[in-house]
Amino acid sequence: MQVEQLGEQFLTWLLGMLPKLLAAAAIVVAGWLLSRLARKLFEKAMEKSNHEVGAISFLGSAASVIVKIVAVIMALSALGVNTAVLVGGLSAISLGISLALKDNMANVASGLQMLVTKPFHVGDYIATEDGVEGTVERIELMFTTLRTFDNKQVVIPNARLANAILTDYTAMDKRCLSLTFSVSYDDDLAYAKEVLHQTAAADKRVLADPAPLVAVNRHGDSGVELIARLWCKTNDYWPLYYALQENVKLAFDTHGIHIPCAQVEVHMDHMPAQKEG
């Protein structure tokens, strides 16, 4: 009999709470949908204001999180929970949560720092000191996403990225390309330098200012090493690198300039023939 009474009481409570439960569920679902909508609207508004892509991605992610938090608080309020007490309790718990999630909080703070200082931008090709490199795809609340040259996705925590030594290969509009080639000691050195200079200057991607430099870099074991320092637009760096590797070899062959191979000279002392015993 007591079990039946408890069942009836629970059913009565459930029926009384059902409107509140449905309202809370509807608020949560609406909040999640609105968070997506808010992110899209926020990003579109910032795009019209010509904000940086990284800032748009980061702040859009933050706007989505804020809408979700508001939706949860409203859902709890619909269930009859005293949200004022809840907020007060959360402030007491927040210290423990922040300690438990200190790495995540550090990622958020680092994301804000990068948003202000702008050490790199979306679309830049960067490399970290530990060898991770790629094109910046997104800068979000806690993570930055890179796309590697062979189309892999690398996700890096913002805190790690903010404290790393970074090389931004596309920050400047032009770069210096340094190439080295060896020629034989028997070849005409001045003529070899002129052929190298003309071959490099013939490529339209090589900039005239600063002027190309061709010089003797060092005297190697098998030949004289020439260096060509050429300036080009950043986007032309790798196409120019591969083109000149081929064109210089063909030019040297055409003009009879030899690229030496590593050689080792072995001297053997004369040994008297052994007598047959």
Side-chain angles (χ1 to χ4, degrees):
M1 189 67 180
Q2 187 176 2
V3 174
E4 292 179 357
Q5 290 178 349
L6 290 174
E8 290 177 358
Q9 291 175 359
F10 175 75
L11 184 59
T12 302
W13 175 85
L14 184 60
L15 291 174
M17 286 291 296
L18 189 58
K20 294 182 178 180
L21 290 172
L22 291 175
I27 291 172
V28 170
V29 172
W32 256 245
L33 294 175
L34 285 173
S35 69
R36 295 182 181 179
L37 180 61
R39 179 168 186 165
K40 291 180 180 179
L41 293 175
F42 192 86
E43 290 178 349
K44 286 183 179 180
M46 293 190 69
E47 286 174 359
K48 291 181 179 179
S49 302
N50 295 323
H51 284 79
E52 185 191 350
V53 177
I56 294 172
S57 176
F58 182 90
L59 295 177
S61 176
S64 176
V65 172
I66 291 172
V67 171
K68 288 178 180 178
I69 292 174
V70 172
V72 170
I73 294 175
M74 290 178 64
L76 292 173
S77 179
L79 290 174
V81 177
N82 189 338
T83 53
V85 176
L86 179 64
V87 172
L90 287 176
S91 63
I93 299 172
S94 60
L95 178 60
I97 295 177
S98 62
L99 290 175
L101 302 177
K102 61 180 180 179
D103 291 339
N104 289 335
M105 299 301 292
N107 288 330
V108 173
S110 297
L112 288 170
Q113 174 188 336
M114 291 190 298
L115 192 63
V116 174
T117 59
K118 298 179 181 179
F120 53 83
H121 303 81
V122 170
D124 285 359
Y125 192 93
I126 64 172
T128 65
E129 57 189 325
D130 52 359
V132 178
E133 61 182 85
T135 302
V136 180
E137 292 280 291
R138 296 186 302 279
I139 304 172
E140 297 187 318
L141 199 60
M142 292 191 294
F143 303 98
T144 294
T145 303
L146 307 182
R147 176 174 49 83
T148 64
F149 181 76
D150 54 350
N151 209 32
K152 296 176 184 175
Q153 180 174 282
V154 180
V155 180
I156 307 176
N158 285 337
R160 179 177 174 182
L161 200 56
N163 295 319
I165 298 175
L166 297 176
T167 301
D168 191 334
Y169 290 100
T170 52
M172 305 300 177
D173 59 348
K174 59 185 177 182
R175 290 181 60 186
C176 181
L177 173 62
S178 296
L179 299 173
T180 57
F181 303 94
S182 290
V183 298
S184 172
Y185 279 108
D186 296 329
D187 289 332
D188 186 328
L189 183 59
Y191 184 57
K193 288 174 59 180
E194 181 62 25
V195 170
L196 177 55
H197 188 279
Q198 289 181 1
T199 304
D203 195 307
K204 295 181 179 179
R205 290 168 294 193
V206 176
L207 300 177
D209 185 21
L213 169 67
V214 175
V216 174
N217 191 44
R218 71 184 185 91
H219 296 167
D221 295 333
S222 303
V224 179
E225 185 178 276
L226 302 180
I227 186 169
R229 293 190 181 276
L230 317 167
W231 287 86
C232 64
K233 292 182 179 179
T234 298
N235 292 337
D236 292 334
Y237 183 90
W238 286 111
L240 180 62
Y241 173 90
Y242 293 121
L244 287 181
Q245 292 287 355
E246 178 177 347
N247 293 341
V248 170
K249 172 63 169 65
L250 295 175
F252 280 2
D253 290 345
T254 300
H255 293 85
I257 299 171
H258 304 90
I259 298 177
C261 299
Q263 299 178 3
V264 178
E265 293 186 4
V266 179
H267 299 275
M268 299 183 64
D269 294 333
H270 176 71
M271 298 179 64
Q274 294 182 355
K275 295 182 180 181
E276 296 182 359

